[in-house]
Amino acid sequence: MNTIFRRGLLATIILAIAVSAELVLKSCMPVSGMNFPVIDTPLTEAQKHLPGNGLKGLRVAPGLSVETMATEPMLINPTNIDVDEKGRVWVTEAYNYRFAINNNKPRAAGDRILILEDKDGDGRLETSQTFYQGPEINAPLGICVLGNRVLVSQSPYVWAFYDDDNDGKADRKEILFQGIGGEQHDHGMHTFTFGPDGKLYFNFGNEGRTLRDKNNKVVLDQDGDEVGPKKYMEGMLFRSDSDGTHVECLGYNFRNPYEAAVDSYGTIWQSDNDDDGNKGVRINYVMEYGNYGYKDEMTRAGWSAARTNLEAEIPQRHWHQNDPGVIPNLLNTGSGSPTGMVIYEGSLLPREFHDQMIHAEPGHNVIRAYPVKKNGAGYTGGIINLLNGDKDQWFRPADICVAPDGSLVVADWYDPGVGGHRVADLERGRIYRIVPEGMTASYKIPVQDYSTPQGAVAALQSPNLAVRRQAFITLTAMGNKAVPALKKLWGSAPNPRMRARALWVLSKSPQAGKYLAEAIKDPDPDIRITGLRAAREVNVDVIKYLGKLVNDPDVQVRRECAIALRHRADPGAANLWAALASSYNGNDKWYLEALGIGADRQWAVFFAAYLKNNADPLATPGGRDIVWRARTASALPYLARLIVAETSPLKYLRALDFYPAETRSQTLLELIATNSRLVTTILKLKLLTAADLAGSPTAQTQLGEVLAASAGTQDYIDLVRHYHITTAANSLLNMVAVGPGGVNAARLLFDWKESPLFMKVINGADQGKALNVLTALGQVGNTEAIALLSEVASANSRSKQIQLKAIEILQSKRLRASFSAAKTSSLKLAELLALKANPEKGQQVFLKMCTACHQVNTSGFNFGPNLSEIGAKLPKEGLFDALAKPSSGISFGYETSQLALKDGATLVGIISSRTETDIEIKYPGGTTQKLKTAAVRTIKELPGSMMPDGLLETLTKQEAADLLEFLVSLKKQSK
């Protein structure tokens, strides 16, 4: 599960989809199909969490009902499920999830893999069998049942278990993949899913880093390159043969994608979680081989680091959406903690859910659908809730699957604060089933006949992946014998998705060429796309097919043609790309990025072919965008013309960042030599280096004017740091002495070894300035600053007020260190719940105690996770646990780091960005410090949270109750 649960921007998103007002108003109605007696009297908190009352906390969409299939004690903490062709529910449990930091006693026998079965067809999973349990299994995050072979994802391994005698117990296991980062971490390896092409699709989060095979050799990708940080970064999506060979990396630079879902055309969809509290959770259409923008492509800096053409809103900034080379997001869902996803290609549920993504979102206690519509080469999407647990925030749907009868099966971890390295309950877990309203409590699994081609073709049309997989394997093995039955489905099925399934099998047959040739001429563009994708996989006449499709009237077909050209050096490939590029209208970034994917590693020859047909690429919006997206020296003269021509050239200046540093600097220097109006902009953006300026008298003169205009601001500090203007030391000292905002100036003076300057002010006649300097030294808090404070505190010759101020600061620091080491609060939740709490007073407690590290809407500082919607994530139990034991569940990306510098100083904060050359560290109060990586000797992650465990000990019980009530109230989106 992902690290923070945030509420989606539901009201805004719904406006983007064609859903009637009635459907929106009714999107969550009272549950029908109750499985337990209705009790009219109000439930106590303890009663609310009993399994027999579980359905009372749920609301379901019109036309649907939900029923309970299984509860604790049959299962606990289900992280992932799969439903096999018999309708059995396979469960991975996570009793041992992060037990070391949650102070839980681990289950020595290890976590379990369970098989739950409904043998009498009444909709209840009345039998449970342990498929495997072992001490090496600790909180696995994925399970995929492939007949008698079961893949279990648990970083650093992917295990393949085998049930050789089909008795429901694992007889042996072997390693499929290993070396994956993120052991006992939510951002490691996630689950596998079976694709319509017979391949496996899987992903890992940004702790995964690399992939090794069973022999511990680094896996090579489709280009023969190692899967690892040299080529790729952050979270990745993969495709492979069923045995784990022929691995392709289909996308990278995600943060924490949890489960890929692949529709019958081979289109890939998945969700991705943002850094905590930034309202940037997203749904992606995965354009193959794309960069998805979590980190800077060139520098690998974090998304919050300064860059040219910075996006105005954080959800877009978070994913570098203004950058050339980044795939657009399909849908921003605001906050959340996305997990399991399926494509519902059944017919049992109401029509609005057919062929749509259906998704588990435990952060908002909801199962959602994301209806999509084509939009140019990409898509738009919206949100419809199927199952909502807003009445019971312990409902944490971790995964969802489609059963063979077309119903939906939901795994509920059921916890007040699951995920983010925290767990509060070890004894509960539920399995629910979503069915049409009025459907009787029955679970009848269709019987399949795989012995004949006709029976296998019928099974191929099942809504359940396990049934389809068995049909695919059977039909593929039959070869030509299966072709007549497949041909019938291919030629006459009213549902084009069933035709696509038949085509995928036919593409593996001896008659592949015949049917692929038919596919690329089909009237349906989705079938033409499927045909091209299948041709690429079997490598049958791809260039010939592209020649017939590059002028296709459908832009999505042309998008696939562009992707298919990636790394193809065939004769004519450049001319095909040029034809595709010439059809670009300048108003579709999906298509532009497809062109970029297709031209990768061949930009020079492809762009040259484009210029033959477009002598002046700047004459059209499409041509200007292609110049912006290009990565070849031959595009630079055109890019320079755009920079000069534009009144606001930030977009085009940003494009220069994707060229080698020497080339970029040369281009910029040529620009400022002939275009004086650009000098100020380029200097302010810090696009040149101090060495660059040495050869440009014009830039040196202009820099003085830029510095003068920004004197006394953070921009001034950043400029003098970047251009290393050590003559500005006295100006920096003055910023420290005059008060607010001087801490970063003080840090820079320490970096420049100018600490003696501080003593001049401290010993000077202006006591106010001296006090400001002491305050800034306390905020800097490095070794040298503490030494200076200690010197002032111990010197009797100084002003008494100055001496007492130094003593106060030092005592405060010592108290804070002691406070940080304090034991967990002795307060009990029941004590707070017994009091009448006032959220308005709680807001005042928050403003006094918490705003140095947290934001709520516009109040506070961006240091720890944003709490504007924390009440939508956690109920009171979870919030109390987070307050009382903050170190038990530190959100990923907010870990405390201790940096030992080579000059002897020590810094403690949160690293917000780290590259090979630069580090940015955040401190409470929202201040940041930039360091050169070369200046850091060691970086050590500290075990505790920056939020002290003894926080509640400083509050009265009433204040703690009020604070808790205020946090619970934080549920609405800020505007």
Side-chain angles (χ1 to χ4, degrees):
M1 243 145 286
N2 301 28
T3 56
I4 192 80
F5 301 152
R6 296 168 296 275
R7 194 172 184 84
L9 295 171
L10 181 58
T12 301
I13 300 300
I14 288 178
L15 292 176
I17 60 174
V19 180
S20 69
E22 179 182 2
L23 178 59
V24 173
L25 291 172
K26 293 181 178 179
S27 64
C28 283
M29 302 294 288
V31 169
S32 60
M34 294 284 189
N35 290 301
F36 298 95
V38 176
I39 302 173
D40 294 329
T41 56
L43 299 175
T44 66
E45 282 299 311
Q47 289 173 331
K48 182 192 296 185
H49 303 308
L50 294 175
N53 294 324
L55 291 178
K56 296 179 182 178
L58 303 177
R59 294 186 294 148
V60 71
L64 297 175
S65 96
V66 61
E67 56 191 36
T68 304
M69 299 189 82
T71 71
E72 68 273 7
M74 181 178 282
L75 75 156
I76 57 172
N77 295 15
T79 61
N80 202 243
I81 58 172
D82 200 5
V83 179
D84 67 15
E85 64 268 27
K86 298 177 183 177
R88 300 180 299 178
V89 180
W90 295 64
V91 180
T92 52
E93 289 187 327
Y95 183 91
N96 286 345
Y97 175 71
R98 308 292 288 185
F99 62 83
I101 63 171
N102 284 288
N103 297 317
N104 300 329
K105 183 178 180 181
R107 183 160 55 183
D111 278 325
R112 299 184 300 179
I113 302 164
L114 301 178
I115 308 173
L116 309 182
E117 187 171 6
D118 173 15
K119 291 192 173 181
D120 56 11
D122 66 352
R124 302 288 187 87
L125 301 168
E126 70 275 358
T127 67
S128 173
Q129 181 173 350
T130 299
F131 176 74
Y132 186 82
Q133 182 176 21
E136 76 279 22
I137 303 298
N138 286 301
L141 294 181
I143 184 167
C144 180
V145 182
L146 305 170
N148 71 338
R149 180 170 170 253
V150 180
L151 303 183
V152 174
S153 304
Q154 185 215 294
S155 299
Y157 299 106
V158 175
W159 301 102
F161 291 91
Y162 293 86
D163 180 5
D164 295 320
D165 53 10
N166 294 310
D167 65 349
K169 290 186 177 295
D171 296 302
R172 57 190 173 92
K173 74 175 190 295
E174 64 183 19
I175 293 171
L176 182 66
F177 295 115
Q178 61 183 309
I180 305 150
E183 184 174 2
Q184 273 279 326
H185 201 295
D186 306 354
H187 291 231
M189 177 64 76
H190 295 131
T191 196
F192 288 63
T193 192
F194 181 78
D197 51 358
K199 301 265 188 173
L200 295 177
Y201 292 77
F202 56 102
N203 54 27
F204 60 50
N206 59 342
E207 278 290 293
R209 298 193 179 95
T210 192
L211 197 64
R212 292 177 176 269
D213 64 17
K214 62 182 180 181
N215 298 314
N216 206 28
K217 293 183 178 179
V218 177
V219 170
L220 303 183
D221 71 1
Q222 63 275 7
D223 300 317
D225 300 327
E226 290 189 349
V227 172
K230 184 176 180 179
K231 181 174 181 179
Y232 300 109
M233 67 180 91
E234 306 304 312
M236 305 175 205
L237 170 70
F238 303 98
R239 173 168 61 205
S240 76
D241 288 348
S242 61
D243 62 357
T245 60
H246 300 109
V247 173
E248 299 173 78
C249 184
L250 298 179
Y252 66 98
N253 211 5
F254 301 97
R255 181 178 181 265
N256 193 29
Y258 203 88
E259 182 173 4
V262 189
D263 68 22
S264 291
Y265 303 124
T267 307
I268 310 164
W269 316 84
Q270 67 178 20
S271 58
D272 193 12
N273 193 29
D274 64 348
D275 283 342
D276 299 348
N278 289 287
K279 302 179 186 178
V281 173
R282 60 179 175 173
I283 305 299
N284 290 120
Y285 149 57
V286 182
M287 193 182 292
E288 291 179 34
Y289 313 123
N291 163 26
Y292 287 81
Y294 176 49
K295 293 286 182 71
D296 186 293
E297 177 187 342
M298 304 302 288
T299 68
R300 306 199 174 196
W303 61 268
S304 60
R307 59 181 180 269
T308 305
N309 201 32
L310 196 67
E311 296 81 355
E313 297 182 358
I314 286 179
Q316 285 71 47
R317 188 182 308 168
H318 196 289
W319 306 114
H320 289 78
Q321 289 292 282
N322 282 356
D323 280 1
V326 172
I327 309 298
N329 294 329
L330 165 62
L331 180 66
N332 185 337
T333 62
S335 60
S337 180
T339 52
M341 179 185 284
V342 296
I343 305 297
Y344 185 77
E345 294 183 334
S347 58
L348 184 68
L349 301 187
R351 184 69 189 88
E352 61 262 33
F353 303 116
H354 291 190
D355 305 328
Q356 303 298 343
M357 289 175 274
I358 299 182
H359 186 221
E361 175 47 276
H364 289 289
N365 325 101
V366 68
I367 298 292
R368 291 171 171 166
Y370 301 115
V372 297
K373 291 184 177 181
K374 292 182 178 181
N375 180 35
Y379 301 86
T380 59
I383 299 176
I384 303 176
N385 290 352
L386 280 81
L387 184 62
N388 198 323
D390 56 357
K391 291 183 177 180
D392 182 1
Q393 285 184 275
W394 284 41
F395 174 61
R396 302 293 185 186
D399 198 15
I400 185 164
C401 290
V402 184
D405 67 346
S407 61
L408 294 174
V409 180
V410 177
D412 177 11
W413 187 320
Y414 202 76
D415 194 281
V418 71
H421 303 171
R422 183 188 298 279
V423 62
D425 181 275
L426 296 174
E427 304 299 334
R428 292 179 173 89
R430 288 94 191 262
I431 303 292
Y432 294 110
R433 182 165 166 256
I434 301 173
V435 296
E437 189 174 22
M439 183 174 175
T440 58
S442 65
Y443 187 46
K444 305 299 183 184
I445 306 304
V447 177
Q448 307 293 346
D449 177 13
Y450 300 104
S451 65
T452 67
Q454 293 76 17
V457 165
L460 188 66
Q461 299 172 69
S462 170
N464 172 261
L465 284 176
V467 174
R468 295 198 325 242
R469 173 194 165 274
Q470 186 58 52
F472 183 96
I473 291 172
T474 301
L475 290 165
T476 303
M478 287 179 178
N480 281 329
K481 182 181 176 183
V483 168
L486 287 165
K487 180 181 178 181
K488 184 176 180 181
L489 180 64
W490 161 244
S492 61
N495 185 341
R497 291 177 184 249
M498 301 305 113
R499 295 185 62 218
R501 293 182 195 176
L503 179 61
W504 283 112
V505 183
L506 287 167
S507 73
K508 314 293 183 183
S509 76
Q511 300 182 42
K514 175 180 184 297
Y515 293 102
L516 291 174
E518 290 180 9
I520 65 162
K521 295 184 292 184
D522 196 88
D524 188 331
D526 287 322
I527 295 297
R528 299 200 294 276
I529 287 170
T530 306
L532 183 54
R533 287 172 175 168
R536 285 171 50 207
E537 286 201 7
V538 297
N539 205 23
V540 175
D541 293 329
V542 174
I543 291 293
K544 183 178 78 173
Y545 291 161
L546 289 175
K548 296 178 180 180
L549 291 173
V550 290
N551 295 312
D552 196 282
D554 190 279
V555 66
Q556 296 209 341
V557 175
R558 299 199 305 274
R559 174 201 70 204
E560 289 300 312
C561 290
I563 294 169
L565 285 169
R566 178 181 174 85
H567 298 175
R568 289 187 181 273
D570 309 64
N575 289 332
L576 291 172
W577 185 89
L580 292 166
S582 295
S583 72
Y584 173 56
N585 63 13
N587 194 32
D588 187 344
K589 194 165 189 284
W590 301 94
Y591 189 58
L592 179 64
E593 291 306 331
L595 291 170
I597 288 169
D600 184 64
R601 297 187 182 180
Q602 299 190 89
W603 267 108
V605 63
F606 280 22
F607 189 72
Y610 176 74
L611 290 179
K612 289 180 181 178
N613 300 329
N614 300 270
D616 183 8
L618 305 189
T620 64
R624 292 192 288 272
D625 269 4
I626 288 170
V627 167
W628 174 72
R629 177 61 181 87
R631 305 286 172 86
T632 173
S634 56
L636 278 172
Y638 300 103
L639 184 58
R641 284 172 54 190
L642 283 171
I643 293 170
V644 172
E646 292 291 323
T647 304
S648 178
L650 296 183
K651 171 180 175 178
Y652 299 107
L653 284 170
R654 175 59 173 161
L656 283 175
D657 290 340
F658 297 87
Y659 285 86
E662 184 177 343
T663 302
R664 179 175 67 248
S665 296
Q666 180 181 346
T667 302
L668 288 168
L669 288 169
E670 290 171 358
L671 282 170
I672 64 176
T674 55
N675 298 275
S676 58
R677 71 175 184 84
L678 290 172
V679 179
T680 299
T681 298
I682 289 170
L683 290 173
K684 281 184 176 180
L685 293 172
K686 300 180 283 294
L687 301 182
L688 294 168
T689 66
D692 294 331
L693 297 190
S696 175
T698 301
Q700 292 178 43
T701 301
Q702 196 71 30
L703 180 59
E705 297 178 17
V706 171
L707 288 170
S710 61
T713 68
Q714 181 61 47
D715 283 342
Y716 178 85
I717 299 171
D718 292 340
L719 285 164
V720 297
R721 179 192 296 275
H722 179 79
Y723 294 113
H724 200 67
I725 305 170
T726 54
T727 55
N730 286 324
S731 297
L732 293 171
L733 180 65
N734 186 59
M735 290 182 67
V736 181
V738 297
V743 63
N744 284 336
R747 289 190 177 113
L748 184 51
L749 288 171
F750 277 119
D751 289 347
W752 287 352
K753 310 300 180 189
E754 295 283 5
S755 56
L757 291 175
F758 297 123
M759 297 307 296
K760 289 183 180 180
V761 179
I762 293 169
N763 292 329
D766 191 325
Q767 188 161 272
K769 289 184 176 181
L771 292 173
N772 287 336
V773 169
L774 292 176
T775 300
L777 293 179
Q779 291 175 315
V780 171
N782 63 18
T783 306
E784 291 177 274
I786 297 300
L788 289 174
L789 287 165
S790 299
E791 180 183 340
V792 174
S794 61
N796 293 325
S797 61
R798 303 191 194 284
S799 154
K800 199 67 176 174
Q801 186 177 359
I802 298 294
Q803 185 179 24
L804 288 174
K805 182 66 174 179
I807 292 170
E808 175 193 333
I809 292 170
L810 290 169
Q811 287 179 335
S812 173
K813 285 197 160 294
R814 294 189 190 104
L815 179 62
R816 215 174 301 153
S818 173
F819 184 57
S820 297
K823 294 182 179 179
T824 301
S825 171
S826 60
L827 276 177
K828 304 298 181 186
L829 178 61
E831 296 177 299
L832 304 188
L833 295 178
L835 300 174
K836 185 177 181 179
N838 185 324
E840 287 77 21
K841 290 183 177 179
Q843 183 176 16
Q844 296 308 309
V845 176
F846 176 85
L847 292 173
K848 180 177 71 174
M849 298 291 297
C850 309
T851 52
C853 295
H854 296 284
Q855 276 187 307
V856 166
N857 299 326
T858 57
S859 299
F861 293 97
N862 178 23
F863 177 67
N866 189 303
L867 303 181
S868 299
E869 299 169 6
I870 194 66
K873 169 195 172 183
L874 298 176
K876 284 186 177 179
E877 299 92 338
L879 284 166
F880 176 79
D881 187 57
L883 289 169
K885 299 182 292 182
S887 293
S888 294
I890 303 169
S891 296
F892 186 55
Y894 292 88
E895 298 87 352
T896 304
S897 293
Q898 178 178 288
L899 290 77
L901 306 187
K902 292 178 180 177
D903 64 5
T906 300
L907 306 176
V908 176
I910 292 174
I911 294 176
S912 59
S913 178
R914 182 179 180 183
T915 72
E916 289 186 4
T917 58
D918 298 279
I919 294 174
E920 186 171 282
I921 185 168
K922 293 197 301 183
Y923 302 103
T927 62
T928 61
Q929 181 177 2
K930 297 178 181 179
L931 305 165
K932 287 297 179 184
T933 305
V936 179
R937 187 175 71 251
T938 61
I939 299 177
K940 177 183 178 183
E941 186 177 310
L942 301 180
S945 169
M946 289 289 283
M947 177 177 168
D949 283 349
L951 174 67
L952 290 182
E953 295 293 341
T954 68
L955 305 178
T956 66
K957 289 182 182 179
Q958 185 63 55
E959 286 175 328
D962 293 342
L963 175 61
L964 188 62
E965 193 68 22
F966 170 65
L967 295 174
V968 168
S969 73
L970 298 175
K971 295 183 179 181
K972 291 185 178 181
Q973 295 285 331
S974 61
K975 295 183 180 180

